[in-house]
Amino acid sequence: MVTIYDLAKETGFSAPTVSKALNGTGHLSAKTRDKILEVARKMGYEPNLSARTLSTKKSHLIGVVYDDPKMKRGFDHPLFSVILNRFREQVERAFYDIIFLSHHSTMTYTAHAAYRTVDGVAIINPELEHYDDFKNMASQGMPCVSTNDIIPGVCTLISKNEEIGYKATEYLIENGHKRIGYLSGPWLEYSRAAVEREEGYMRCLKDHGIGIDKDLVEECKYWHMDSGYEGFSRLYKRAPDITAVFVCADLLAMGVYKYAEQKNLSIPQQISIVSVDDDRVSSYLKPSLSTFRQDGEGIADMAAEMLMNQIAGVPVPPIVRFDASLMKRNSVFNLNGKNEEFL
């Protein structure tokens, strides 16, 4: 049976340092902790969970909040499913297990986290009506991270949404478009993605000397295809002269595709589209959808590290932003010149 003393000898670190790495305690660098955990895995170290719980007063359980009643994507969401799977892998490397936290009429998330004695909570895809509960949880000292929305007192890890909006709009401008619409997701206080992407869209238009026309902006009430269809219907009826639209999410963009098909609008010749998420079906749409791929794995890795740091008593930043990459496909028509793929 491999002991912490065997690991200490193999890694060159002291037994107390090895113990801190295995138990997620103490002020260790991520490099040191990762090295010790990697050696522990290779040597087949198996922790005595009962003894460890008694000695550290930790359950080695991480609570996960993952709700999806409005998007109705479950574990198939193009961003949050990646974050969840990668996050699970990372915390398991540190010998933690995850459990899903729930809420109902007699128990809040905070109460459930306390009942299950979790050491920390990852808020991956929450419902807005529970934000006061999450703020309360953090104020009581529970280590928390959020990978979707900005929650006061919670370390948040999200994409550079304003930059996404800017780059999407700039890509359309570079292809000769000037009448560019923005089809937004819900404008919400804590779920800032839609608002920040609009801010990037507006700033880019201004930087390129294109006037701001509020009639070219339309909010969708929900993050799903039907809402995208309805939202684009309102936008296009109000501004039928637009040649392109930046859509806040691929699910909404699929609604635009549906509307275009029903109204005999040609994509991209009559309406060009850039979106966000790189849903796994986006490359199979006809034409394939140009969209921004968010760094789900990077967000998950950092979320796990930030949560482990908090559990160990290490301070963490309030917010960390991540780049997204534009996947250029066939949904944007170049008004400046030749488009060989569409001839």
Side-chain angles (χ1 to χ4, degrees):
M1 179 178 178
V2 179
T3 69
I4 63 171
Y5 300 102
D6 298 322
L7 297 179
K9 182 178 180 180
E10 182 68 21
T11 61
F13 294 108
S14 67
T17 298
V18 170
S19 178
K20 290 176 182 177
L22 296 175
N23 293 316
T25 59
H27 297 270
L28 301 181
S29 69
K31 182 178 180 180
T32 297
R33 183 180 292 114
D34 288 346
K35 179 179 179 180
I36 293 171
L37 294 177
E38 181 64 25
V39 171
R41 279 191 299 277
K42 288 181 178 179
M43 294 183 67
Y45 172 76
E46 295 183 359
N48 184 325
L49 296 180
S50 297
R52 188 170 67 174
T53 298
L54 289 173
S55 64
T56 64
K57 295 182 173 58
K58 294 184 182 298
S59 65
H60 286 84
L61 292 175
I62 299 297
V64 171
V65 175
Y66 193 104
D67 282 335
D68 190 26
K70 291 188 174 65
M71 291 186 190
K72 303 184 185 302
R73 296 297 299 271
F75 297 124
D76 190 42
H77 190 279
L79 176 63
F80 300 128
S81 62
V82 172
I83 291 175
L84 177 62
N85 286 328
R86 181 75 169 200
F87 179 82
R88 176 187 56 79
E89 292 172 359
Q90 293 298 86
V91 298
E92 286 179 352
R93 290 180 67 230
F95 302 106
Y96 276 80
D97 293 318
I98 68 168
I99 62 170
F100 287 95
L101 299 179
S102 60
H103 66 90
H104 46 75
S105 59
T106 61
M107 183 173 285
T108 63
Y109 281 116
T110 300
H112 195 193
Y115 174 72
R116 297 306 300 265
T117 63
V118 300
D119 295 333
V121 174
I123 305 166
I124 293 179
N125 189 20
E127 281 297 290
L128 290 173
E129 57 261 34
H130 303 296
Y131 272 47
D132 287 340
D133 189 7
F134 300 136
K135 288 191 290 184
N136 180 50
M137 184 188 298
S139 70
Q140 293 182 16
M142 174 65 73
C144 296
V145 292
S146 170
T147 63
N148 184 18
D149 303 314
I150 299 173
I151 305 171
V154 175
C155 176
T156 302
L157 306 104
I158 52 176
S159 296
K160 296 177 180 177
N161 288 305
E162 198 268 354
E163 183 177 287
I164 289 174
Y166 191 100
K167 288 184 175 180
T169 309
E170 188 168 56
Y171 178 58
L172 292 170
I173 293 172
E174 289 170 351
N175 280 275
H177 298 275
K178 294 183 178 179
R179 290 289 286 173
I180 302 169
Y182 173 55
L183 190 62
S184 172
W187 294 323
L188 302 168
E189 179 182 359
Y190 295 117
S191 184
R192 295 280 301 166
V195 175
E196 291 177 352
R197 290 169 192 171
E198 180 186 352
E199 290 170 351
Y201 159 82
M202 293 290 189
R203 183 167 67 86
C204 184
L205 292 177
K206 183 178 179 181
D207 287 352
H208 286 269
I210 299 174
I212 304 298
D213 185 348
K214 283 290 188 178
D215 282 343
L216 302 190
V217 176
E218 182 64 41
E219 178 190 9
C220 297
K221 297 299 182 183
Y222 303 102
W223 296 96
H224 55 61
M225 186 171 69
D226 289 344
S227 192
Y229 178 95
E230 294 163 2
F232 186 72
S233 174
R234 294 190 298 270
L235 172 61
Y236 197 73
K237 287 176 182 177
R238 191 169 63 242
D241 61 331
I242 61 172
T243 62
V245 61
F246 166 44
V247 186
C248 200
D250 285 3
L251 266 182
L252 301 178
M254 292 176 198
V256 179
Y257 270 69
K258 181 179 178 182
Y259 179 90
E261 180 183 15
Q262 290 185 356
K263 302 299 181 181
N264 293 317
L265 284 175
S266 177
I267 301 173
Q269 290 89 339
Q270 290 176 278
I271 188 73
S272 291
I273 305 172
V274 176
S275 185
V276 185
D277 274 341
D278 195 25
D279 195 296
R280 63 182 179 180
V281 304
S282 297
S283 62
Y284 294 97
L285 295 173
K286 292 186 178 180
S288 56
L289 178 61
S290 295
T291 180
F292 280 82
R293 177 183 296 167
Q294 300 183 78
D295 186 9
E297 291 191 350
I299 291 173
D301 289 348
M302 185 63 72
E305 181 179 336
M306 293 296 99
L307 195 56
M308 293 298 107
N309 283 346
Q310 289 181 72
I311 292 171
V314 179
V316 297
I319 187 167
V320 181
R321 298 275 187 172
F322 292 80
D323 293 323
S325 303
L326 175 58
M327 314 306 293
K328 295 181 181 179
R329 297 190 178 115
N330 297 321
S331 62
V332 175
F333 195 76
N334 190 336
L335 297 179
N336 296 320
K338 198 171 183 180
N339 292 270
E340 294 182 357
E341 63 268 38
F342 305 118
L343 296 179

